[in-house]
Amino acid sequence: MRVVVDLTKCQGYGQCVFAAPDVFRMPHHETLMYELDPDETKRDQVLRAAAACPVRALLLDEEITERQEKASAGNPDIGRIVIVGASLAGLRAAATLRREGYAGALTLIGDEPGEPYDRPPLSKQVLSGQIAAADTMLPRRDELDAEWIRGVAAVGLDLAARQVRLADGRAVGYDRLLIATGVRARPWPDPQEAALDGVSVLRSRQDAAELRRRLASGPRVLVIGGGFTGSEIASVCRELDLPVTVAERGPAPLVGALGGVVGRIAADMQRENGVDLRCGVTVTALEGDRDGRLRRARLSDGSVLDVDLAVAALGAVRNVEWLDGSGLAAGAWGVGCDAGCRAFDVNGIVCDDVFVAGDVARFPHPVYGYQFLTLEHWGNAVSQAHVAAHNMISPSGRLRPHLSLPVFWSAQFGVNIKSVGVPTFADEVAIVQGSVEERRFVAVYGHRGRITAAVTFDEAMWLDFYRDLIERAAPFPPDFAMVGRSAPPRAVPAEIPARIPAIHDATVVVTGHNPDERRATLVSAGAK
Amino acid sequence: MTTTYETFLDYANRADPYPLFPQLRRTPVARQPDGSYVVSTYREIVALLHDPRVSSDLRNLPEIANIRIAPDDAAPQLPPEFIRRDPPDHDRLRAMVMKHFGPPGAPGRVAGMESRMREIITELIDGLAGRSRIDVVDDFAYPLPVTVICEMLGVPRPDEPLFHKWSQIAVETNDPTTGTIVERNRRRFETLAKLGQYLDGLADAHQREPGDDLLSALVTDGEMARPDVLSTAALLLIAGHETTVNLIANGMLTLLRHPHVLERLRQDPGYAVNVVEELLRYEPPIHMPGPRRTALADIEIAGTTIPQGSVIVLVLASGNRDPARFADPDRFDPDRRDNQHLGFGGGIHYCFGAPLARLETRLALTELTRRLVEPRLVADPPPYRHTPNLRGPLHLLLDIDGIRSAHSASTQ
């Protein structure tokens, strides 16, 4: 049977471990590791665990999506819905469509062969060898009653003809389209070096299986990039007692997502756990031997490392190339859309029949000054897919905005890190509960005197309290008395690095003179 | 004028307090004449369970912090148990016990108790053979959890009459109708001191000759100071046998009031998992947690400001029946989806013994349902225990036509 835990909801009560100790493990305070595909002999245990979860975070495959008989089904104009991208967002959108009563034809198109799988365990349970990469499939939704086109990429979109073109030459027509093509790992920029045996990335199930195979042989590892993926890989290496170096361009790991103050804590955690962490450096070259096997890495500070395995954890590239020339506002920045998930065309006007969700979507968030955000979070894929699917079959008066605050988690070095809000939308940060020394604390982020984010290290039970404060635009720093607080919080600069948004790569020209002729044309959609 | 909450506390409403809840929820956060704030709606209860401005340490109230039981009393006063402490002490103490009870240190311990629980259950039901009238409480729902907690904790079962008395007094001190909060806490301190003295002797014995019980583990691993060991043991002993008894007795009563559910459980023992969760929503063993909470700061909630220093009472049982959260909340429906009930509370003080209670109740209800032949309620409603906090029948008399063999098939 299949099970997946919504770890954005999980607060670490551990009730699943009590009920099913053979399936779920909580090896430290709060981090939850589990089998996604336990065998049938454990079914009763898993059912008990699902029932016992205080926040109902376990999703099982036998849960039948109940169709709402009432709902929005009755739009006769919508007979064909196509979803491009058959991973988490696409799958959840499909389930929502059916649950809300959509009874027409439904097609899911995915370029990966095989059933949709869950990615977060790849950098955790799979790399550490607790579960096989193949055993990460998302719970089944057979009752979706959908046509699946697997292992075939979408290569083009014709907005006027309402058709998706496939790599095998087919064209699939739609009345409503959902774009959920996600991202891929940014490859090592030098193609020859990237081709060396021992240079890899981690994004897909195949990547994870390959990386796991290499880790099992006991290599000396270099992780290039100290973001969440890189840090989790380094954590697994230490768990396996492998020597690992992390090379991070910034002043500390996680600094791009959490700022310098919390980043320094993450740096301490890495070093305490035996990671050879090198910050403020870049990898200038990867060198192989005559057989094309990786042998060493050169760093910008002049040092040379002997390594057998280098993992480029340099972030993501959005899967938008298939939309080149389609007339949508798609590029390196993602696919632009409104808060209702309706795609923008190149003129910045929303389409009524094309929607976007998940990692590839670039949408305005009212809570963050209507800034456009792209979020590579499991939880965002789920909630945005839900909103997109609802809006796809709803009349314009009943559209819902995608307003949920971003939530994500990371398990590394025995600590469960969770975040709510947008920590990079901040000028200051304060530790408000717990103890940094004990690696159990709550950090609250503020922007111009109001709370915009909170990050917990093994303190997930408090996260919802801070979510409510963010939603109420509560003042920063929170200065009221609290349990678990030794001294009044001190706000310090959050040290958020400046970033140049990918949208700056867009080159648009405007043509025409008369008002009814003036049109934008997207000339360059940014570096690929 | 009597407030709805005061009416709810009145013993006259113990058998069926539920009709009062809609009225209670009309004011989600209601100030009482004694200055405390009663919270009765689901959303507000959940928010306050996760609000770090809410303290569980009654020492925040000066009149309670200053209570000292007579210094010449032979039994020394115990420090507050972890459920009456705040982080970081709470987290530290709870983790020290959890190490021997659940993840990460002992993840399989509770699950590993299943076969022993089955033995106890079988013995208890076998003992009913030949009877035509039984008391679910005295004959089953009380002795089962007492035996389990005694064995787990390392407390001799024959001492039960001794600690049962102290335990009952301690539970009663949670009952707001039995005196002011100061009077009740003084009584509680005195009673716990006596229980602590008894446990201290046991702890010495376990230190000399450790068993595989929790008390032995706590005294031998040396992490926890002895006074905290005694408070913790007292807490587990009391909680272990004053709460699950209600869940099992409430469960049997509810099943008999819903014969189609009882029949389905008889046919399908796996159904017990959902039955227990729905019971925890519909007839929870704890209507409101005993340890009162206090506001460390002014808290604005549901249009009310709870001033700093106020006592806060969370009526979990009312939140469980909130129609804003649960469709058709007064219907007992084990098939309910998304049953995110408050039966065990929530947040950092989430019931420590929840896994034990779940397992005991699931096995107990499955076996009672399977083995009792034609069980019939003698009185409906049955007589109730006095306390409104830990609500359950004092006795639950059933007439039965016999006992099926322990080895008979589960379906008839």
Side-chain angles (χ1 to χ4, degrees), chain A residues 11 13 15 17-18 21 26-28 48 51-52 54-56 63-64 66 433 440 461-462 465-466 480-484, chain B residues 50-54 86-87 98 101-104 107 110 273 277 296-297 337 339-340 346-348 350 354-355 358 362:
Chain A
Q11 296 180 11
Y13 290 99
Q15 300 302 305
V17 186
F18 282 105
M26 202 167 258
H28 304 282
R48 292 200 288 270
V55 291
R56 294 296 181 271
E63 230 168 297
I64 306 294
E66 282 171 11
Q433 280 184 271
R440 288 194 75 172
M461 281 186 192
W462 302 114
F465 171 73
Y466 295 97
F480 33 74
M482 288 186 192
V483 301
Chain B
H50 291 85
D51 193 324
R53 296 169 296 183
V54 177
D86 292 333
M98 191 56 90
F101 182 74
V110 172
V273 174
E277 295 306 319
L296 295 179
R337 286 175 174 275
N339 186 0
Q340 203 170 322
I348 61 168
Y350 185 85
R358 278 196 167 100
R362 172 167 66 83

Side-chain angles (χ1 to χ4, degrees), chain A residues 349-400:
Chain A
I349 292 176
V350 290
C351 307
D352 291 328
D353 51 0
V354 182
F355 293 74
V356 198
D359 293 4
V360 76
R362 179 179 167 81
F363 64 98
H365 203 305
V367 173
Y368 296 98
Y370 299 94
Q371 277 193 31
F372 281 78
L373 306 177
T374 47
L375 300 170
E376 292 152 33
H377 304 160
W378 195 96
N380 183 65
V382 169
S383 55
Q384 198 171 21
H386 193 69
V387 172
H390 171 86
N391 290 347
M392 286 172 89
I393 53 172
S394 299
S396 59
R398 290 181 36 204
L399 297 187
R400 289 183 190 154

Side-chain angles (χ1 to χ4, degrees), chain A residues 95-109:
Chain A
T96 302
L97 287 170
R98 290 304 191 205
R99 197 173 305 135
E100 295 206 359
Y102 171 67
L106 180 59
T107 304
L108 283 111
I109 300 168

Side-chain angles (χ1 to χ4, degrees), chain B residues 246-398:
Chain B
N246 291 342
L247 185 56
I248 295 172
N250 289 346
M252 210 49 214
L253 175 62
T254 304
L255 287 172
L256 288 162
R257 285 171 172 172
H258 298 83
H260 60 288
V261 178
L262 188 142
E263 188 49 37
R264 184 159 160 204
L265 176 59
R266 202 201 309 274
Q267 304 285 337
D268 173 16
Y271 196 44
V273 174
N274 289 348
V275 169
V276 172
E277 295 306 319
E278 177 66 344
L279 275 174
L280 285 160
R281 185 194 71 82
Y282 181 82
E283 280 278 24
I286 300 187
H287 269 219
M288 44 188 189
R292 301 305 184 80
R293 298 178 190 218
T294 53
L296 295 179
D298 289 357
I299 298 174
E300 260 186 68
I301 183 157
T304 302
T305 300
I306 303 176
Q308 179 188 345
S310 306
V311 168
I312 300 172
V313 180
L314 306 175
V315 188
L316 304 177
S318 171
N320 275 343
R321 299 284 191 112
D322 188 341
R325 179 60 181 80
F326 298 102
D328 206 357
D330 294 323
R331 204 165 87 86
F332 179 67
D333 175 15
D335 291 319
R336 184 178 291 281
R337 286 175 174 275
D338 190 27
N339 186 0
Q340 203 170 322
H341 60 74
L342 303 173
F344 289 127
I348 61 168
H349 293 285
Y350 185 85
C351 177
F352 184 86
L356 206 56
R358 278 196 167 100
L359 180 56
E360 287 180 63
T361 309
R362 172 167 66 83
L363 300 176
L365 294 179
T366 308
E367 282 300 284
L368 285 175
T369 306
R370 182 173 76 89
R371 296 191 60 196
L372 299 184
V373 179
E374 295 295 319
R376 302 172 300 276
L377 285 171
V378 172
D380 191 2
Y384 273 81
R385 301 169 75 183
H386 190 273
T387 167
N389 304 72
L390 276 58
R391 177 181 165 277
L394 187 61
H395 299 288
L396 184 62
L397 297 181
L398 302 187

Side-chain angles (χ1 to χ4, degrees), chain A residues 61-83:
Chain A
D61 49 1
E62 60 267 273
E63 230 168 297
I64 306 294
T65 39
E66 282 171 11
R67 295 186 187 191
Q68 284 177 9
E69 295 308 330
K70 45 173 186 167
S72 33
N75 187 342
D77 297 344
I78 310 173
R80 295 175 304 172
I81 290 183
V82 172
I83 298 175

Side-chain angles (χ1 to χ4, degrees), chain A residues 324-347:
Chain A
D324 279 353
S326 66
L328 288 182
W333 57 86
V335 183
C337 63
D338 72 357
C341 308
R342 295 178 295 184
F344 288 130
D345 71 11
V346 287
N347 295 298

Side-chain angles (χ1 to χ4, degrees), chain A residues 281 403 465:
Chain A
V281 297
L403 278 180
F465 171 73

